[in-house]
Every structure is written in C-alpha cells, then in structure tokens.
Amino acid sequence: LPPTRAAALPDGEARGAKAADLGGRPPVWFLIGPNYSGKTTFARWAADRMFAAGRSAFLGALDPLNRTLSAFFMDVEQPASADPSLTPAWLRSVVEHLMRERLPAIADMGGGDTSLARLISDLPGLADTMEEAGIAPVAAYFLGPRVDDLSSLATFEASGFRPRATLLVLNGARVDAGLDPAEAFAPIRRHSAVRSAVARGAVVVEMPRLDPPELALEVERKRLGFGAARDGEGGLGPLDRAGVRAWMDRMQRAFAPVEPWLP
C-alpha cells in the first residue's frame, strides 16, 4: 500500500477506541496478517491463558504449510489436506459449526491466507451474520512496521468485513533492534486504513517482544507453553523463567483494553 500524508493520530486516538461490548456473545478471533507477524505467538499466549483459567475454545490452524499451533496444544482443528484450494470450504464449515454451537474460537490464519477473503467475498455481511447467530467475530490484524502489512486490513474493510470488535496489533518483535518502536510504527499509525478503522471503533495495542530473541526461540524449540516455561519446565534457568514471566505480565497489560474479547 502507498503511504499517506495524513497527520499523526491525536493523543486521544493513539490506542484506538474503547473496546466494543460483545453483548455476551462468545468471541471468534480471526488472526490475520503476513507470515511472522505474531499471530501464532498471540494464539499460544491467549490459549495458554485461557486453559490456565479453566476455559476452553475451538482452536483452528488454517495455514496449510505452517500449523505450529498444533505442536503446542491438543485438539487443534485443521484442514485434512495441505492443499490451500480446499481451505476455504473447511473454514466455511467451521464458521457454520461455531454459529450453530455458539462457541468461542481462535483461528490462526496463514500468512497470505485466501480462505477468509473468499468467505468475505461470498458473504460481504459475514460479521453481521455471525453476530445475529449469537457469536462475535474479532478481526485481529497483526502488523509489523511495513506499510504493506496493512493490505489485508484495507482489503477486508473495503469488502465490508468490519466487525465491531476490530484489533490492530503492532508487533514490537518486528522492529529492528536499536530502532525506536514509536518511530518505526509512525507510518502505520498515520496510514489512512488505520485512521479509518480507528475512527469506526478499532482498538490499537502494542504487542511486546519476548527478549532476548534466543529465549523466544528456545521456548518454541522445546514446544513449551508460556506458563510452563515461566514455571520452570523444559529446563529453563532462573533468568529465562523470569524473562518469560515479565513478558507475560507485559502481554496482560498490553491486551487489557480488550480483556472482554479474550476467550
């Protein structure tokens, strides 16, 4: 997407609007964004937090080539085939199931996913249809500092997919070391697609980086849940456990504005 020359967001709009009331409807999260934008990291954190609290939700991994979520949790649903042409029909059946059973869900869409775009194209009123069926779609866009990362947001919003619960997640892990995150994300915040989404009620949050990068890789390599890593499973040392704990605390604070939307 080309950059815009709009002014920076006023201070009062910096983090977006107040989170919309879901009216008691179970949330259905669509995690949208390019590869390595933080979707699966968020899904792991949200699901870990949910299970620790004794709650449950439908978990879906839709990327035909990268279904990392299923390595961390049991009973992650996914298309039977890696053929991406079959994923749209599978997603449609999943949404039908969620509406029928009124279930909360976290759907980890693939980078470059076309299945949700296909569903929105077929059903421009998808968000309203889901709400009328008693579930609340949550469109969560995961963004690095590249303006091109906004392509799905711009396309889906223009197509009519504008859930009342829309979240723009600025992933600090995608900012190069040594750069100021505020400066790195300034073009994103100024972009017309972001300003339009915020104006209609989207919430902006900043997702913290798990540092050092070697720790994040170690937790993933050992297929540890974040809670398990924090509590010392997997042989992590005291400093690494403290680092995971601090990151989990920062995640909780970062997503506090949309606490009612979390499953």
Side-chain angles (χ1 to χ4, degrees), residues 128-258:
D128 290 340
T129 300
M130 293 176 70
E131 288 207 352
E132 290 166 4
I135 59 177
V138 179
Y141 296 92
F142 288 77
L143 307 167
R146 300 183 317 140
V147 171
D148 286 352
D149 289 357
L150 291 167
S151 59
S152 292
L153 172 66
T155 299
F156 290 173
E157 293 260 324
S159 299
F161 185 64
R162 296 186 289 269
R164 291 186 304 122
T166 295
L167 184 64
L168 310 181
V169 182
L170 309 183
N171 184 5
R174 303 309 302 163
V175 177
D176 291 340
L179 294 182
D180 179 3
E183 291 184 6
F185 280 109
I188 296 289
R189 289 186 178 277
R190 287 195 301 262
H191 200 280
S192 57
V194 170
R195 293 180 63 84
S196 296
V198 169
R200 71 162 186 82
V203 178
V204 181
V205 301
E206 299 172 5
M207 182 168 157
R209 179 201 306 265
L210 175 56
D211 281 326
E214 294 80 9
L215 173 57
L217 291 173
E218 182 72 358
V219 172
E220 181 169 354
R221 184 183 68 81
K222 292 185 174 181
R223 297 298 191 246
L224 294 173
F226 293 118
R230 174 201 59 201
D231 295 339
E233 296 183 28
L236 294 186
L239 292 181
D240 285 344
R241 296 198 302 270
V244 173
R245 182 182 303 110
W247 176 80
M248 293 178 70
D249 289 344
R250 291 195 299 272
M251 286 288 286
Q252 186 66 36
R253 291 194 297 271
F255 287 91
V258 293

